[in-house]
Amino acid sequence: METRFAPPPKKERAMAASGATLESPKPVDPAAPNAPAAVGKLRRGQQDPTWVRTTLILLAVAFMGILVVLPVVNVFVQAFANGPEAYWRYLTQDPETRHAVMLTLFIAPAAVAMNTVFGVAAAWAIARFEFRGRTLLITLIDLPFSVSPVVAGLAFVLWFGMQGFLGPQLREWDIKILFSWPAILLATSFVTFPFVARELIPLLEEIGPDEELAAVTLGAKPWQIFWYVTLPNIKWGLLYGIILCNARAMGEFGAVYVVSGRIAGQTDTMPLRIDKLFQEYNSPASFAVASVLTLLALVTLAVKTYLERKVIESAETKKEAV
Amino acid sequence: MKARWFQTAMLGVLTVAVAGCPNGNKTGDSKSVELLNVSYDPTRELWRDLNKAFVADYRKKAGIAVAIKQSHGGSGSQARAVIDGLDADVVTLALFSDTDALRDKGLLPVKWDERLPNRSLPYLSTIVFVVRKGNPKKIGDWSDLVKDGVDVISPNPKTSGNGKLSFLAAWGSVRKAGGSDAEAEEFVRKLYGHVKVLDTGARGSTVTFAQRQIGDVHLTWENEAFLEIEESKGTLEIVYPKSSILAEPHVAVVDGNVDRKKTREAAEAYLNFLYTDEGQEIIAKHYYRPSKTEIEKKHRDKFQPIDLFPITTVGGGWAESQKRFFAEGGVFDRIYSKKQ
């Protein structure tokens, strides 16, 4: 089973290459008449006894089943416990649930859009230029990965809250950030910030500045270089980053919980709504909303797998072209 | 150019994101008003019914359409959110000290609790025990909680009103029986040695005990206990200790917010509605003890008589107890850090 988790294409190919040397049957020509026997012997020599293999495989399958497959299936089973009609009613009839779905459908794309703009800009700066503070910038981009979302949320509360630095001034101007959608958007963007930039930095570094330099010599303006040279080169990697970013943005709980004020029908996003429904003893409705989120995650996974292939392909055609 | 579609898509996403920004200020007609009620955890069902009744009542009497939004969570963290700027028109928190924290920050005047009938208490409640069916660990009173092999579930006294009240009730049970403060502390220390999970709010504890099936006894609000037992379909039962604490969940209009939002009139009508017969009946229906004597008498059969001691039995008032037991470095910190 291959478990790739977003390695940059360079490593990907290195892995594939080392894989080829480990897998001995490859060099043997399968068309040769003696090959199968030889391959079989070689294989047996390299492998553990059957019972060891079977036990390990069964263990792995059981582990995956209990920890991943069953809980996910259970979400759907619970959601449909009262039939598909009730399922539909849970999702559409409750105004607070409806609002939560709409809020998430607004917050996630908005956060993704912000992070796409900032992420591309940051990755471009880091991959193309040497400047003072470059390492610091890379570290800062990674910060949201290491900071607990709850802490991130509290940081926003301390900054925008009435006891905080900006709160009193904002209130005077009648601008609402904390306990309102702007804070949810900010918190979500903060937590998902690294995805796009992290994906693009190694990609841009690998592609190198040659094509862009060529465009400059041909008299292209900066925006033309970006739209016609850089962007087409990084499009698959960028989409991949966007998809991951979106998945995380839709599911964010901790940071949003802290900054939202938990107002039903106003600042509850889908994950918060799921938690609330569950605590109100309304498990079927809770699982119904959870199933939608799970479904979105599964779609994301499928798109991600497709894009992963595209990223590698485009990188390889690039290489061949050179 | 092959990438043209991609660029168009990117621009599309940006446009949608910018255009989709929900416009924050709702300037509806003057005949409609929106209130935010910031409350503690187990009151969701109560407020859902009360809100429905009040909205109908207010439309009839004042001709104003009012919409009420709810926010629920651990009482302490809810108070904190209001202090940090959550726009609550009214707070209906579990503990006097949580509401009083708003006074500290200038959101409420001094003596805010004297503005509504019965010291701003539309209902009372207490802490009782919930045990598994048949009471297999034979739990009857506070002293049984520290027997060997008894696992106790109660939320964190730092963040939850339920948690604080459980702590104070345990302490008071010793003092009421004539024990000293030192004996009370020893008992409470032992008790928290038996607590398996410290959730942040009352509802979290209920989920831990009733749905995740952890623990032998759950110390919880009387109303939450009834709801929990109804939900359990016969697998849980309620146990009344001989004595418990008189919980006083005060309600208050948040002056600092209603004056700015110009919602004072509706907010005051909202809280006054709780004292009407209709409001009190709804309160009783949800297993809170109504503060109006006639209604309380009507529902006597529902609420088992139990010796409810006031906070003064524990020592001092609510504010004093908060400082002594739950403040940074207070008794709870001492007990709980020693446990680990």
Side-chain angles (χ1 to χ4, degrees), chain A residues 162 227 261-262 264 279 281, chain B residues 7 70-71 78 84 203 206:
Chain A
M162 282 305 285
W227 281 112
R262 306 171 283 277
Q279 294 206 347
Y281 303 105
Chain B
Q7 291 153 7
Q70 287 291 143
S71 169
Q78 292 292 80
D84 279 325
R203 239 342 123 71
T206 307

Side-chain angles (χ1 to χ4, degrees), chain A residues 209-271:
Chain A
D210 298 351
E211 290 182 23
E212 286 155 17
L213 289 175
V216 174
T217 61
L218 293 172
K221 295 190 183 71
W223 273 111
Q224 288 177 316
I225 300 177
F226 180 72
W227 281 112
Y228 295 114
V229 181
T230 313
L231 199 55
N233 275 338
I234 59 169
K235 65 181 172 189
W236 295 117
L238 181 58
L239 271 178
Y240 182 80
I242 287 174
I243 287 286
L244 281 184
C245 182
N246 185 54
R248 185 79 174 77
M250 282 191 302
E252 176 51 34
F253 181 86
V256 173
Y257 184 84
V258 177
V259 301
S260 73
R262 306 171 283 277
I263 308 169
Q266 195 164 315
T267 62
D268 273 352
T269 58
M270 270 167 87

Side-chain angles (χ1 to χ4, degrees), chain B residues 153-169:
Chain B
I153 300 293
S154 187
N156 191 340
K158 285 279 191 179
T159 55
S160 156
N162 177 181
K164 286 189 173 85
L165 287 165
S166 300
F167 181 103
L168 295 170

Side-chain angles (χ1 to χ4, degrees), chain A residues 171-298:
Chain A
R171 176 152 286 178
E172 211 157 277
W173 290 335
D174 208 16
I175 297 173
K176 252 180 113 172
I177 292 188
L178 197 61
F179 307 121
S180 179
W181 67 266
I184 301 176
L185 177 57
L186 283 174
T188 309
S189 307
F190 177 85
V191 171
T192 56
F193 184 68
F195 286 101
V196 172
R198 265 282 135 209
E199 187 57 37
L200 290 185
I201 292 170
L203 192 61
L204 277 168
E205 274 173 351
E206 175 162 19
I207 292 167
D210 298 351
E211 290 182 23
E212 286 155 17
L213 289 175
V216 174
T217 61
L218 293 172
K221 295 190 183 71
W223 273 111
Q224 288 177 316
I225 300 177
F226 180 72
W227 281 112
Y228 295 114
V229 181
T230 313
L231 199 55
N233 275 338
I234 59 169
K235 65 181 172 189
W236 295 117
L238 181 58
L239 271 178
Y240 182 80
I242 287 174
I243 287 286
L244 281 184
C245 182
N246 185 54
R248 185 79 174 77
M250 282 191 302
E252 176 51 34
F253 181 86
V256 173
Y257 184 84
V258 177
V259 301
S260 73
R262 306 171 283 277
I263 308 169
Q266 195 164 315
T267 62
D268 273 352
T269 58
M270 270 167 87
L272 296 193
R273 184 73 195 143
I274 292 169
D275 179 59
K276 207 168 250 185
L277 284 168
F278 187 70
Q279 294 206 347
E280 284 170 12
Y281 303 105
N282 200 346
S283 307
S286 167
F287 279 107
V289 185
S291 75
V292 174
L293 215 51
T294 313
L295 214 60
L296 287 170
L298 290 177

Side-chain angles (χ1 to χ4, degrees), chain A residues 47-125:
Chain A
Q47 274 170 347
D48 293 313
T50 319
W51 67 268
V52 173
R53 271 182 290 146
T54 334
T55 327
L56 283 175
I57 289 169
L58 280 179
L59 259 175
V61 168
F63 201 69
M64 281 292 288
I66 290 167
L67 281 183
V68 180
V69 180
L70 285 183
V72 170
V73 171
N74 187 41
V75 167
F76 288 94
V77 172
Q78 293 279 346
F80 283 98
N82 297 342
E85 210 174 295
Y87 176 81
W88 187 244
R89 208 174 52 239
Y90 293 140
L91 288 182
T92 54
Q93 297 297 304
D94 184 340
E96 287 173 6
T97 301
R98 268 204 316 262
H99 188 276
V101 174
M102 291 316 286
L103 185 63
T104 293
L105 287 183
F106 157 67
I107 291 291
V112 168
M114 279 171 69
N115 283 338
T116 305
V117 174
F118 295 135
V120 170
W124 163 269

Side-chain angles (χ1 to χ4, degrees), chain B residues 70-305:
Chain B
Q70 287 291 143
S71 169
H72 293 276
S75 186
S77 21
Q78 292 292 80
R80 179 74 231 188
V82 175
I83 288 170
D84 279 325
L86 184 57
D87 258 342
D89 296 280
V90 303
V91 285
T92 54
L93 300 172
L95 281 174
F96 177 88
S97 44
D98 290 331
T99 315
D100 205 46
L102 305 187
R103 179 191 51 77
D104 265 355
K105 301 288 177 189
L107 287 163
L108 290 176
V110 276
K111 305 213 168 153
W112 56 267
D113 55 326
E114 287 171 13
R115 295 186 296 180
L116 285 163
N118 193 31
R119 293 191 299 120
S120 294
L121 290 166
Y123 59 86
L124 302 165
S125 193
T126 188
I127 296 292
V128 298
F129 303 164
V130 178
V131 296
R132 309 259 171 233
K133 191 183 167 56
N135 198 358
K137 299 270 165 116
K138 304 267 174 298
I139 290 154
D141 203 2
W142 289 97
S143 54
D144 297 327
L145 300 179
V146 295
K147 285 194 301 196
D148 282 347
V150 173
D151 288 340
V152 180
I153 300 293
S154 187
N156 191 340
K158 285 279 191 179
T159 55
S160 156
N162 177 181
K164 286 189 173 85
L165 287 165
S166 300
F167 181 103
L168 295 170
W171 189 285
S173 73
V174 177
R175 297 283 286 140
K176 181 137 180 79
S180 67
D181 267 350
E183 282 167 315
E185 182 168 337
E186 191 44 41
F187 174 71
V188 172
R189 182 196 311 281
K190 267 198 227 151
L191 175 63
Y192 278 86
H194 284 258
V195 172
K196 276 282 121 130
V197 183
L198 273 186
D199 290 286
T200 53
R203 239 342 123 71
S205 273
T206 307
V207 170
T208 301
F209 183 75
Q211 293 183 358
R212 290 169 57 205
Q213 303 273 325
I214 296 173
D216 303 306
V217 54
H218 178 199
L219 312 186
T220 188
W221 291 98
E222 184 178 33
N223 57 285
E224 183 76 355
F226 275 106
L227 192 63
E228 197 175 336
I229 281 152
E230 256 170 44
E231 283 295 320
S232 77
K233 298 181 184 76
T235 62
L236 299 174
E237 49 190 72
I238 199 165
V239 170
Y240 277 90
K242 284 196 194 73
S243 68
S244 189
I245 193 158
L246 177 67
E248 301 185 320
H250 291 80
V251 298
V253 168
V254 185
D255 297 69
N257 288 342
V258 291
D259 287 343
R260 183 169 41 84
K261 293 165 73 181
K262 303 196 172 39
T263 48
R264 178 179 282 282
E265 213 173 308
E268 278 173 356
Y270 181 42
L271 291 190
N272 277 312
F273 176 76
L274 305 176
Y275 295 92
T276 62
D277 284 0
E278 190 186 0
Q280 291 280 303
E281 282 291 347
I282 295 172
I283 282 167
K285 189 185 130 210
H286 285 274
Y287 303 102
Y288 296 84
R289 298 180 176 224
S291 65
K292 203 171 180 177
T293 340
E294 306 96 272
I295 311 284
E296 199 260 339
K297 270 192 190 133
K298 236 175 89 187
H299 293 274
R300 273 281 158 82
D301 53 319
K302 207 164 170 178
F303 302 108
Q304 208 163 309

